[in-house]
Amino acid sequence: ALGAVENKEVIDELQSGGSDARKLKLRKYWERIDPTPETKFNELQEEFFERVDHAIRNFSTINKINGHLGDRGKIYIRYGAPSEIIRGVNKFGRITENWIYKEISREFIFTDRTGTNNFQLM
């Protein structure tokens, strides 16, 4: 899930080494990006895991693709809830979702090409 917000090099480094080394690296990673290091609670880490949980619950597919691994899940984990979602049908009869993020002037268009709730980023 961290791959939705970090580059491959950071992920590869966090996953290298033995189990204890990986745990230590991950703890230090979250400490480094904690917006309020003077407190024990890490709001950013909490928000990340809430988004991952939301993605798993809401974007998993009927053919067992875990929601946080799909395109909608990755976008949701990175940017949070969109300002607006427009659901429609394209000229090929496929269901589409347009996610609009007004605050960052971005729009993502997803299409369910297979009818399995696996919306792919266009």
Side-chain angles (χ1 to χ4, degrees), residues 59 61 63 65 69-75 90 94-99 108-122:
F59 307 130
T61 70
N63 59 351
I65 294 175
L69 299 174
D71 289 347
R72 288 187 303 171
K74 290 175 183 176
I75 295 298
N90 68 14
R94 304 289 185 217
I95 299 172
T96 62
E97 283 189 2
N98 293 34
W99 288 16
F108 299 94
I109 301 169
F110 304 93
T111 302
D112 182 3
R113 296 179 187 162
T114 61
T116 60
N117 203 36
N118 183 18
F119 285 80
Q120 295 175 320
L121 187 61
M122 301 309 297

Side-chain angles (χ1 to χ4, degrees), residues 2-57:
L2 201 51
V5 293
E6 276 295 354
N7 64 48
K8 183 177 177 350
E9 291 78 24
V10 171
I11 299 300
D12 287 348
E13 173 57 29
L14 289 172
Q15 293 178 339
S16 67
S19 176
D20 290 340
R22 289 192 311 268
K23 287 177 188 175
L24 179 62
K25 289 177 191 180
L26 194 56
R27 185 174 52 79
K28 291 200 175 291
Y29 169 83
W30 284 113
E31 287 173 0
R32 182 173 47 81
I33 64 172
D34 186 351
T36 55
E38 66 280 357
T39 67
K40 287 190 176 212
F41 183 72
N42 185 331
E43 300 83 356
L44 187 59
Q45 184 178 15
E46 178 73 12
E47 177 70 19
F48 172 79
F49 286 114
E50 284 178 7
R51 290 180 184 185
V52 170
D53 288 345
H54 179 87
I56 291 168
R57 283 191 310 272

Side-chain angles (χ1 to χ4, degrees), residues 89-104:
V89 178
N90 68 14
K91 64 184 179 181
F92 304 107
R94 304 289 185 217
I95 299 172
T96 62
E97 283 189 2
N98 293 34
W99 288 16
I100 300 164
Y101 289 86
K102 293 177 182 173
E103 61 280 351
I104 60 171

